[in-house]
């Protein structure tokens, strides 16, 4: 029933006691890092101790921008020698965000992953195919270690190559797969092109879907197409990656693991806590990380706490599926993109004009990012070879930056409709 009964069903009073203890330990550890070592409030609490977890509200937030500014070592709170792995966001132009782990941190993350998968009904008898980027993406190794700890047969398939994914599923009898939801449409099409039906021609019974927003309707469609139960998995690299919040068998929201994270939901404008049950921005503090503790991290993800106890018996609060972001980041094919990353590339090119826009479309069941780029009059002439070279150059630069191959559409200067007021850069027409 539970992976760690005592911790998963701990009563609120004892949970809060544990959180307070871990929060103080986290602050002591954080104070060793150049970034948090500069913050007087942290120094004060390290000196005086904390009377209750509510005092966390007196601490300043941590943002992605600060992580970028303090790149590469500003958040490191342990001896560099102890660090055994790092994960980093994409990006070749500005500083990426980087997260460090020591052995304890990796064990703790692995355990959270095993706990999450167990809650969704995955067992050591399952064959688990991880269809997700490995390397610096956290979904690869994060799931891998959790699945191995749980004792499943793991297939570290990685992303891409749909035919091979299907062959692996059929050859080894995959019963559970972790897949980014927007890719499942494409995968289903390939099943059909091969004359196969995943409901009959595989042993899949469970899909773990996450890493990008999706609706309840999308989940239901996935469940029907594949004949499975699909469970929502939420996480972010700054908080390890997957294994932060996960649906249990009840599929009624995601338990957020409160022994490992102190969770707040704030109004992104006023930065004050929202009323219980209201949607706001998720703010998280790590409670069990040593190499890189993070205090009050503004995730920019919008959600709310769900009311009531879960029939599964787990006492960790549930959050609703992520309903949006409080910044302009979007996710395509499981890759995070900030429009400014694309703008940064375009504006360095002398041939590029004033305007551009990003269209997100679903074409033949695959999500695609189309970037319309205005080219200055003097360059937008009949020289097709030149324009083709420019298009290729932009494609490569964007692909290197955000890890997804864009479709670049070069257009004449002035042809992108001007918005009144603030320019809208991203037009999301994807089918969900
Ligand atoms: N997951 C797995 N495979 C995907 C995918 C996704 N989200 N999106 C597309 N693919 C497949 C495509 O179907 C194609 O395979 P096929 O032709 O055999 O069907 C192959 O990957 C390449 O697709 P393409 O559209 O040319 O991709 P791209 O060059 O724009 O992007 C990806 C390359 C898909 C490999 C890259 O976007 C990626 O690594 N995505 C996964 C990110 C991830 O794992 N995020 C989770 C973080 S926790
Ligand atoms: P990364 O740090 O690259 O793993 O990306 C983390 C971001 O992906 C989160 O901050 C969310 O915006 C998004 N994300 C991850 N899981 C989910 C999910 N289940 N639903 C919606 N968005 C998600
Ligand atoms: Zn539950």
């Amino acid at each position: 029933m539970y992976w760690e009964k005592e911790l998963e069903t701990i009563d609120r009073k004892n949970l809060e006691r544990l959180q307070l203890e871990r929060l103080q330990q986290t602050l002591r550890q954080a104070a060793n890092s150049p970034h948090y070592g500069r913050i007087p409030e942290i120094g004060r609490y390290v000196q005086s101790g904390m009377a209750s977890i509510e005092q966390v509200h007196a601490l300043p937030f941590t943002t992605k921008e600060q992580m970028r500014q303090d790149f590469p070592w500003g958040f490191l709170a342990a001896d560099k020698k102890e660090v055994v792995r790092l994960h980093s966001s994409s990006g070749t132009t500005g500083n990426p965000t980087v997260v460090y782990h020591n052995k304890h941190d990796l064990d703790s993350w692995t355990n959270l992953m095993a706990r999450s998968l167990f809650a969704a009904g995955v067992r050591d008898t399952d064959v688990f195919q991880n269809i997700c980027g490995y390397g610096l993406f956290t979904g690869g190794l994060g799931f891998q270690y959790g699945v191995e700890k749980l004792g499943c047969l793991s297939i570290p398939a990685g992303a891409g190559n749909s035919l091979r994914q299907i062959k692996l599923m059929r050859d080894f009898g995959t019963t559970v797969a972790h897949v980014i939801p927007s890719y499942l449409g494409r995968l289903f099409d390939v099943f059909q092109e091969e004359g196969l039906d995943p409901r009959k021609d595989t042993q899949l019974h469970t899909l773990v879907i996450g890493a990008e927003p999706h609706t309840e309707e999308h989940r239901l469609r996935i469940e029907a197409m594949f004949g499975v139960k699909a469970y929502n998995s939420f996480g972010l690299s700054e908080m390890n990656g997957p294994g932060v919040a996960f649906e249990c068998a009840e599929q009624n929201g995601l338990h957020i693991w409160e022994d490992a994270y102190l969770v707040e939901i704030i109004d992104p404008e006023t930065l004050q806590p929202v009323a219980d049950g209201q949607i706001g921005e998720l703010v998280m503090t790590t409670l069990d990380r040593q190499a890189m503790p993070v205090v009050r991290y503004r995730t920019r993800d919008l959600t709310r706490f769900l009311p009531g106890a879960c029939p599964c018996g787990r006492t960790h609060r549930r959050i609703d599926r992520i309903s949006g972001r409080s910044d302009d980041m979007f996710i395509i094919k499981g890759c995070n993109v900030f429009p400014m990353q694309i703008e940064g590339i375009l504006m360095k090119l002398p041939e590029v004009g004033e305007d551009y826009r990003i269209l997100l479309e679903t074409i033949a069941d695959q999500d695609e990012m189309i970037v319309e780029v205005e080219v200055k009059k003097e360059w937008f002439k009949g020289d097709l070879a030149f324009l083709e070279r420019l298009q290729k150059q932009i494609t490569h630069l964007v692909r290197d930056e955000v890890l997804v191959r864009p479709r670049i559409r070069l257009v004449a200067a002035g042809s992108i409709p001007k918005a009144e007021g603030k320019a809208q850069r991203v037009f999301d027409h994807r089918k969900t």
Side-chain angles (χ1 to χ4, degrees), residues 33-39 62-76 95-98 100 292:
S33 72
H35 178 84
Y36 291 118
R38 292 195 290 266
I39 296 181
T62 302
T63 62
K64 206 184 246 305
E65 291 67 37
Q66 289 170 348
M67 286 190 182
R68 288 192 176 128
Q69 277 159 13
D70 263 333
F71 180 87
W73 302 111
F75 277 78
L76 184 62
N95 287 339
T97 46
V98 59
Y100 303 102
M292 184 170 160

PDB file of all heavy atoms in Angstrom, residues 33-39 62-76 95-98 100 292:
ATOM      1  N   SER A  33      26.525  28.611   1.641  1.00  0.00           N
ATOM      2  CA  SER A  33      26.685  28.953   0.215  1.00  0.00           C
ATOM      3  C   SER A  33      26.930  30.452   0.091  1.00  0.00           C
ATOM      4  O   SER A  33      26.433  31.249   0.909  1.00  0.00           O
ATOM      5  CB  SER A  33      25.427  28.565  -0.570  1.00  0.00           C
ATOM      6  OG  SER A  33      24.375  29.445  -0.243  1.00  0.00           O
ATOM      7  N   PRO A  34      27.697  30.865  -0.935  1.00  0.00           N
ATOM      8  CA  PRO A  34      27.916  32.314  -1.099  1.00  0.00           C
ATOM      9  C   PRO A  34      26.597  33.078  -1.192  1.00  0.00           C
ATOM     10  O   PRO A  34      26.445  34.140  -0.602  1.00  0.00           O
ATOM     11  CB  PRO A  34      28.701  32.390  -2.415  1.00  0.00           C
ATOM     12  CG  PRO A  34      29.361  31.049  -2.556  1.00  0.00           C
ATOM     13  CD  PRO A  34      28.430  30.056  -1.905  1.00  0.00           C
ATOM     14  N   HIS A  35      25.601  32.534  -1.899  1.00  0.00           N
ATOM     15  CA  HIS A  35      24.346  33.266  -2.082  1.00  0.00           C
ATOM     16  C   HIS A  35      23.624  33.461  -0.750  1.00  0.00           C
ATOM     17  O   HIS A  35      23.345  34.591  -0.340  1.00  0.00           O
ATOM     18  CB  HIS A  35      23.434  32.541  -3.081  1.00  0.00           C
ATOM     19  CG  HIS A  35      22.120  33.231  -3.247  1.00  0.00           C
ATOM     20  ND1 HIS A  35      21.942  34.298  -4.106  1.00  0.00           N
ATOM     21  CD2 HIS A  35      20.913  33.057  -2.624  1.00  0.00           C
ATOM     22  CE1 HIS A  35      20.697  34.731  -4.010  1.00  0.00           C
ATOM     23  NE2 HIS A  35      20.048  33.992  -3.123  1.00  0.00           N
ATOM     24  N   TYR A  36      23.291  32.362  -0.077  1.00  0.00           N
ATOM     25  CA  TYR A  36      22.509  32.491   1.156  1.00  0.00           C
ATOM     26  C   TYR A  36      23.352  33.033   2.310  1.00  0.00           C
ATOM     27  O   TYR A  36      22.819  33.634   3.251  1.00  0.00           O
ATOM     28  CB  TYR A  36      21.868  31.151   1.529  1.00  0.00           C
ATOM     29  CG  TYR A  36      20.772  30.743   0.564  1.00  0.00           C
ATOM     30  CD1 TYR A  36      20.881  29.574  -0.195  1.00  0.00           C
ATOM     31  CD2 TYR A  36      19.640  31.535   0.393  1.00  0.00           C
ATOM     32  CE1 TYR A  36      19.884  29.202  -1.090  1.00  0.00           C
ATOM     33  CE2 TYR A  36      18.634  31.172  -0.498  1.00  0.00           C
ATOM     34  CZ  TYR A  36      18.761  30.005  -1.227  1.00  0.00           C
ATOM     35  OH  TYR A  36      17.770  29.649  -2.112  1.00  0.00           O
ATOM     36  N   GLY A  37      24.663  32.840   2.227  1.00  0.00           N
ATOM     37  CA  GLY A  37      25.552  33.389   3.257  1.00  0.00           C
ATOM     38  C   GLY A  37      25.467  34.911   3.325  1.00  0.00           C
ATOM     39  O   GLY A  37      25.755  35.520   4.359  1.00  0.00           O
ATOM     40  N   ARG A  38      25.021  35.540   2.234  1.00  0.00           N
ATOM     41  CA  ARG A  38      24.913  37.009   2.197  1.00  0.00           C
ATOM     42  C   ARG A  38      23.582  37.510   2.750  1.00  0.00           C
ATOM     43  O   ARG A  38      23.372  38.715   2.841  1.00  0.00           O
ATOM     44  CB  ARG A  38      24.965  37.496   0.730  1.00  0.00           C
ATOM     45  CG  ARG A  38      26.273  37.322   0.016  1.00  0.00           C
ATOM     46  CD  ARG A  38      26.281  38.167  -1.259  1.00  0.00           C
ATOM     47  NE  ARG A  38      25.381  37.679  -2.302  1.00  0.00           N
ATOM     48  CZ  ARG A  38      25.736  36.861  -3.287  1.00  0.00           C
ATOM     49  NH1 ARG A  38      26.975  36.404  -3.347  1.00  0.00           N
ATOM     50  NH2 ARG A  38      24.875  36.471  -4.200  1.00  0.00           N
ATOM     51  N   ILE A  39      22.661  36.594   3.023  1.00  0.00           N
ATOM     52  CA  ILE A  39      21.297  37.040   3.382  1.00  0.00           C
ATOM     53  C   ILE A  39      21.157  37.136   4.914  1.00  0.00           C
ATOM     54  O   ILE A  39      21.205  36.119   5.607  1.00  0.00           O
ATOM     55  CB  ILE A  39      20.249  36.094   2.760  1.00  0.00           C
ATOM     56  CG1 ILE A  39      20.362  36.204   1.237  1.00  0.00           C
ATOM     57  CG2 ILE A  39      18.846  36.405   3.248  1.00  0.00           C
ATOM     58  CD1 ILE A  39      19.406  35.366   0.450  1.00  0.00           C
ATOM     59  N   THR A  62      13.731  33.031  -3.495  1.00  0.00           N
ATOM     60  CA  THR A  62      14.830  32.743  -4.428  1.00  0.00           C
ATOM     61  C   THR A  62      14.215  32.675  -5.819  1.00  0.00           C
ATOM     62  O   THR A  62      13.131  32.103  -5.995  1.00  0.00           O
ATOM     63  CB  THR A  62      15.488  31.395  -4.087  1.00  0.00           C
ATOM     64  OG1 THR A  62      15.951  31.437  -2.742  1.00  0.00           O
ATOM     65  CG2 THR A  62      16.653  31.102  -5.011  1.00  0.00           C
ATOM     66  N   THR A  63      14.905  33.252  -6.802  1.00  0.00           N
ATOM     67  CA  THR A  63      14.376  33.234  -8.171  1.00  0.00           C
ATOM     68  C   THR A  63      15.377  32.580  -9.123  1.00  0.00           C
ATOM     69  O   THR A  63      16.561  32.458  -8.813  1.00  0.00           O
ATOM     70  CB  THR A  63      14.121  34.675  -8.672  1.00  0.00           C
ATOM     71  OG1 THR A  63      15.382  35.352  -8.688  1.00  0.00           O
ATOM     72  CG2 THR A  63      13.138  35.420  -7.797  1.00  0.00           C
ATOM     73  N   LYS A  64      14.838  32.210 -10.289  1.00  0.00           N
ATOM     74  CA  LYS A  64      15.685  31.646 -11.341  1.00  0.00           C
ATOM     75  C   LYS A  64      16.772  32.653 -11.744  1.00  0.00           C
ATOM     76  O   LYS A  64      17.916  32.281 -11.989  1.00  0.00           O
ATOM     77  CB  LYS A  64      14.802  31.317 -12.556  1.00  0.00           C
ATOM     78  CG  LYS A  64      15.348  30.204 -13.438  1.00  0.00           C
ATOM     79  CD  LYS A  64      14.473  30.020 -14.660  1.00  0.00           C
ATOM     80  CE  LYS A  64      13.738  28.716 -14.761  1.00  0.00           C
ATOM     81  NZ  LYS A  64      14.453  27.485 -14.700  1.00  0.00           N
ATOM     82  N   GLU A  65      16.387  33.939 -11.780  1.00  0.00           N
ATOM     83  CA  GLU A  65      17.356  34.968 -12.186  1.00  0.00           C
ATOM     84  C   GLU A  65      18.537  34.993 -11.222  1.00  0.00           C
ATOM     85  O   GLU A  65      19.692  35.116 -11.640  1.00  0.00           O
ATOM     86  CB  GLU A  65      16.696  36.367 -12.205  1.00  0.00           C
ATOM     87  CG  GLU A  65      15.652  36.575 -13.297  1.00  0.00           C
ATOM     88  CD  GLU A  65      14.386  35.728 -13.114  1.00  0.00           C
ATOM     89  OE1 GLU A  65      13.951  35.539 -11.952  1.00  0.00           O
ATOM     90  OE2 GLU A  65      13.853  35.223 -14.117  1.00  0.00           O
ATOM     91  N   GLN A  66      18.242  34.854  -9.927  1.00  0.00           N
ATOM     92  CA  GLN A  66      19.349  34.843  -8.958  1.00  0.00           C
ATOM     93  C   GLN A  66      20.264  33.646  -9.191  1.00  0.00           C
ATOM     94  O   GLN A  66      21.482  33.749  -9.087  1.00  0.00           O
ATOM     95  CB  GLN A  66      18.795  34.783  -7.527  1.00  0.00           C
ATOM     96  CG  GLN A  66      18.127  36.067  -7.094  1.00  0.00           C
ATOM     97  CD  GLN A  66      17.381  35.896  -5.780  1.00  0.00           C
ATOM     98  OE1 GLN A  66      17.168  34.783  -5.296  1.00  0.00           O
ATOM     99  NE2 GLN A  66      16.970  37.012  -5.206  1.00  0.00           N
ATOM    100  N   MET A  67      19.643  32.519  -9.529  1.00  0.00           N
ATOM    101  CA  MET A  67      20.473  31.324  -9.779  1.00  0.00           C
ATOM    102  C   MET A  67      21.379  31.561 -10.980  1.00  0.00           C
ATOM    103  O   MET A  67      22.520  31.135 -11.010  1.00  0.00           O
ATOM    104  CB  MET A  67      19.599  30.108 -10.030  1.00  0.00           C
ATOM    105  CG  MET A  67      18.951  29.596  -8.770  1.00  0.00           C
ATOM    106  SD  MET A  67      18.174  28.015  -9.108  1.00  0.00           S
ATOM    107  CE  MET A  67      17.457  27.685  -7.516  1.00  0.00           C
ATOM    108  N   ARG A  68      20.818  32.250 -11.975  1.00  0.00           N
ATOM    109  CA  ARG A  68      21.627  32.528 -13.171  1.00  0.00           C
ATOM    110  C   ARG A  68      22.750  33.500 -12.846  1.00  0.00           C
ATOM    111  O   ARG A  68      23.870  33.354 -13.297  1.00  0.00           O
ATOM    112  CB  ARG A  68      20.753  33.122 -14.278  1.00  0.00           C
ATOM    113  CG  ARG A  68      19.843  32.089 -14.881  1.00  0.00           C
ATOM    114  CD  ARG A  68      19.218  32.633 -16.150  1.00  0.00           C
ATOM    115  NE  ARG A  68      18.422  31.608 -16.778  1.00  0.00           N
ATOM    116  CZ  ARG A  68      17.164  31.761 -17.144  1.00  0.00           C
ATOM    117  NH1 ARG A  68      16.551  32.912 -16.974  1.00  0.00           N
ATOM    118  NH2 ARG A  68      16.516  30.770 -17.706  1.00  0.00           N
ATOM    119  N   GLN A  69      22.396  34.525 -12.045  1.00  0.00           N
ATOM    120  CA  GLN A  69      23.424  35.523 -11.701  1.00  0.00           C
ATOM    121  C   GLN A  69      24.542  34.897 -10.886  1.00  0.00           C
ATOM    122  O   GLN A  69      25.709  35.241 -11.056  1.00  0.00           O
ATOM    123  CB  GLN A  69      22.803  36.665 -10.892  1.00  0.00           C
ATOM    124  CG  GLN A  69      22.154  37.709 -11.778  1.00  0.00           C
ATOM    125  CD  GLN A  69      21.135  38.536 -11.009  1.00  0.00           C
ATOM    126  OE1 GLN A  69      21.067  38.507  -9.785  1.00  0.00           O
ATOM    127  NE2 GLN A  69      20.314  39.259 -11.739  1.00  0.00           N
ATOM    128  N   ASP A  70      24.178  33.995  -9.985  1.00  0.00           N
ATOM    129  CA  ASP A  70      25.184  33.399  -9.108  1.00  0.00           C
ATOM    130  C   ASP A  70      25.795  32.130  -9.708  1.00  0.00           C
ATOM    131  O   ASP A  70      26.360  31.307  -8.995  1.00  0.00           O
ATOM    132  CB  ASP A  70      24.581  33.115  -7.728  1.00  0.00           C
ATOM    133  CG  ASP A  70      24.891  34.235  -6.750  1.00  0.00           C
ATOM    134  OD1 ASP A  70      25.924  34.899  -6.950  1.00  0.00           O
ATOM    135  OD2 ASP A  70      24.122  34.445  -5.806  1.00  0.00           O
ATOM    136  N   PHE A  71      25.650  31.982 -11.000  1.00  0.00           N
ATOM    137  CA  PHE A  71      26.224  30.858 -11.727  1.00  0.00           C
ATOM    138  C   PHE A  71      27.753  30.974 -11.706  1.00  0.00           C
ATOM    139  O   PHE A  71      28.249  32.101 -11.819  1.00  0.00           O
ATOM    140  CB  PHE A  71      25.714  30.925 -13.175  1.00  0.00           C
ATOM    141  CG  PHE A  71      26.213  29.842 -14.079  1.00  0.00           C
ATOM    142  CD1 PHE A  71      25.543  28.638 -14.163  1.00  0.00           C
ATOM    143  CD2 PHE A  71      27.360  30.044 -14.851  1.00  0.00           C
ATOM    144  CE1 PHE A  71      25.995  27.635 -15.011  1.00  0.00           C
ATOM    145  CE2 PHE A  71      27.812  29.042 -15.698  1.00  0.00           C
ATOM    146  CZ  PHE A  71      27.133  27.843 -15.774  1.00  0.00           C
ATOM    147  N   PRO A  72      28.550  29.952 -11.604  1.00  0.00           N
ATOM    148  CA  PRO A  72      28.114  28.572 -11.498  1.00  0.00           C
ATOM    149  C   PRO A  72      28.093  28.019 -10.070  1.00  0.00           C
ATOM    150  O   PRO A  72      27.457  27.014  -9.826  1.00  0.00           O
ATOM    151  CB  PRO A  72      29.174  27.840 -12.326  1.00  0.00           C
ATOM    152  CG  PRO A  72      30.421  28.633 -12.142  1.00  0.00           C
ATOM    153  CD  PRO A  72      29.978  30.066 -11.940  1.00  0.00           C
ATOM    154  N   TRP A  73      28.777  28.677  -9.109  1.00  0.00           N
ATOM    155  CA  TRP A  73      28.920  28.008  -7.816  1.00  0.00           C
ATOM    156  C   TRP A  73      28.213  28.710  -6.673  1.00  0.00           C
ATOM    157  O   TRP A  73      28.333  28.292  -5.520  1.00  0.00           O
ATOM    158  CB  TRP A  73      30.422  27.877  -7.456  1.00  0.00           C
ATOM    159  CG  TRP A  73      31.223  27.131  -8.476  1.00  0.00           C
ATOM    160  CD1 TRP A  73      32.173  27.655  -9.307  1.00  0.00           C
ATOM    161  CD2 TRP A  73      31.141  25.736  -8.787  1.00  0.00           C
ATOM    162  NE1 TRP A  73      32.685  26.676 -10.118  1.00  0.00           N
ATOM    163  CE2 TRP A  73      32.070  25.479  -9.826  1.00  0.00           C
ATOM    164  CE3 TRP A  73      30.376  24.677  -8.307  1.00  0.00           C
ATOM    165  CZ2 TRP A  73      32.253  24.221 -10.382  1.00  0.00           C
ATOM    166  CZ3 TRP A  73      30.550  23.418  -8.860  1.00  0.00           C
ATOM    167  CH2 TRP A  73      31.479  23.201  -9.889  1.00  0.00           C
ATOM    168  N   GLY A  74      27.501  29.813  -6.954  1.00  0.00           N
ATOM    169  CA  GLY A  74      26.976  30.667  -5.877  1.00  0.00           C
ATOM    170  C   GLY A  74      25.999  29.987  -4.932  1.00  0.00           C
ATOM    171  O   GLY A  74      25.808  30.430  -3.808  1.00  0.00           O
ATOM    172  N   PHE A  75      25.365  28.909  -5.370  1.00  0.00           N
ATOM    173  CA  PHE A  75      24.385  28.235  -4.503  1.00  0.00           C
ATOM    174  C   PHE A  75      24.952  26.959  -3.879  1.00  0.00           C
ATOM    175  O   PHE A  75      24.234  26.231  -3.215  1.00  0.00           O
ATOM    176  CB  PHE A  75      23.109  27.919  -5.292  1.00  0.00           C
ATOM    177  CG  PHE A  75      22.168  29.098  -5.379  1.00  0.00           C
ATOM    178  CD1 PHE A  75      22.416  30.135  -6.265  1.00  0.00           C
ATOM    179  CD2 PHE A  75      21.056  29.178  -4.548  1.00  0.00           C
ATOM    180  CE1 PHE A  75      21.565  31.226  -6.330  1.00  0.00           C
ATOM    181  CE2 PHE A  75      20.197  30.262  -4.599  1.00  0.00           C
ATOM    182  CZ  PHE A  75      20.455  31.301  -5.497  1.00  0.00           C
ATOM    183  N   LEU A  76      26.214  26.705  -4.139  1.00  0.00           N
ATOM    184  CA  LEU A  76      26.797  25.465  -3.617  1.00  0.00           C
ATOM    185  C   LEU A  76      27.043  25.609  -2.113  1.00  0.00           C
ATOM    186  O   LEU A  76      27.755  26.514  -1.685  1.00  0.00           O
ATOM    187  CB  LEU A  76      28.114  25.176  -4.355  1.00  0.00           C
ATOM    188  CG  LEU A  76      28.780  23.859  -3.976  1.00  0.00           C
ATOM    189  CD1 LEU A  76      27.890  22.668  -4.318  1.00  0.00           C
ATOM    190  CD2 LEU A  76      30.122  23.731  -4.687  1.00  0.00           C
ATOM    191  N   ASN A  95      23.550  32.463 -18.896  1.00  0.00           N
ATOM    192  CA  ASN A  95      23.878  31.421 -17.926  1.00  0.00           C
ATOM    193  C   ASN A  95      22.681  30.510 -17.728  1.00  0.00           C
ATOM    194  O   ASN A  95      21.583  30.992 -17.501  1.00  0.00           O
ATOM    195  CB  ASN A  95      24.210  32.044 -16.565  1.00  0.00           C
ATOM    196  CG  ASN A  95      25.561  32.727 -16.574  1.00  0.00           C
ATOM    197  OD1 ASN A  95      26.400  32.421 -17.417  1.00  0.00           O
ATOM    198  ND2 ASN A  95      25.753  33.639 -15.655  1.00  0.00           N
ATOM    199  N   PRO A  96      22.894  29.212 -17.759  1.00  0.00           N
ATOM    200  CA  PRO A  96      21.777  28.323 -17.426  1.00  0.00           C
ATOM    201  C   PRO A  96      21.604  28.255 -15.908  1.00  0.00           C
ATOM    202  O   PRO A  96      22.409  28.818 -15.169  1.00  0.00           O
ATOM    203  CB  PRO A  96      22.242  26.972 -17.983  1.00  0.00           C
ATOM    204  CG  PRO A  96      23.720  27.046 -18.047  1.00  0.00           C
ATOM    205  CD  PRO A  96      24.118  28.501 -18.089  1.00  0.00           C
ATOM    206  N   THR A  97      20.567  27.559 -15.451  1.00  0.00           N
ATOM    207  CA  THR A  97      20.497  27.271 -14.013  1.00  0.00           C
ATOM    208  C   THR A  97      21.095  25.893 -13.806  1.00  0.00           C
ATOM    209  O   THR A  97      20.943  24.999 -14.641  1.00  0.00           O
ATOM    210  CB  THR A  97      19.050  27.274 -13.491  1.00  0.00           C
ATOM    211  OG1 THR A  97      18.242  26.537 -14.389  1.00  0.00           O
ATOM    212  CG2 THR A  97      18.507  28.669 -13.367  1.00  0.00           C
ATOM    213  N   VAL A  98      21.754  25.744 -12.686  1.00  0.00           N
ATOM    214  CA  VAL A  98      22.439  24.482 -12.428  1.00  0.00           C
ATOM    215  C   VAL A  98      22.090  24.029 -11.017  1.00  0.00           C
ATOM    216  O   VAL A  98      21.915  24.857 -10.123  1.00  0.00           O
ATOM    217  CB  VAL A  98      23.961  24.656 -12.654  1.00  0.00           C
ATOM    218  CG1 VAL A  98      24.541  25.713 -11.758  1.00  0.00           C
ATOM    219  CG2 VAL A  98      24.706  23.353 -12.461  1.00  0.00           C
ATOM    220  N   TYR A 100      23.141  21.101  -8.002  1.00  0.00           N
ATOM    221  CA  TYR A 100      24.156  20.115  -7.577  1.00  0.00           C
ATOM    222  C   TYR A 100      23.568  19.114  -6.606  1.00  0.00           C
ATOM    223  O   TYR A 100      22.714  19.460  -5.817  1.00  0.00           O
ATOM    224  CB  TYR A 100      25.286  20.829  -6.830  1.00  0.00           C
ATOM    225  CG  TYR A 100      25.901  21.893  -7.653  1.00  0.00           C
ATOM    226  CD1 TYR A 100      25.575  23.224  -7.424  1.00  0.00           C
ATOM    227  CD2 TYR A 100      26.767  21.568  -8.677  1.00  0.00           C
ATOM    228  CE1 TYR A 100      26.117  24.210  -8.207  1.00  0.00           C
ATOM    229  CE2 TYR A 100      27.309  22.552  -9.462  1.00  0.00           C
ATOM    230  CZ  TYR A 100      26.980  23.869  -9.225  1.00  0.00           C
ATOM    231  OH  TYR A 100      27.506  24.834 -10.004  1.00  0.00           O
ATOM    232  N   MET A 292      22.825  21.604  -2.389  1.00  0.00           N
ATOM    233  CA  MET A 292      22.223  22.858  -2.838  1.00  0.00           C
ATOM    234  C   MET A 292      20.817  23.026  -2.267  1.00  0.00           C
ATOM    235  O   MET A 292      19.825  22.799  -2.951  1.00  0.00           O
ATOM    236  CB  MET A 292      22.188  22.891  -4.375  1.00  0.00           C
ATOM    237  CG  MET A 292      21.667  24.212  -4.901  1.00  0.00           C
ATOM    238  SD  MET A 292      21.914  24.339  -6.672  1.00  0.00           S
ATOM    239  CE  MET A 292      20.719  25.612  -7.062  1.00  0.00           C
TER     240      MET A 292
END
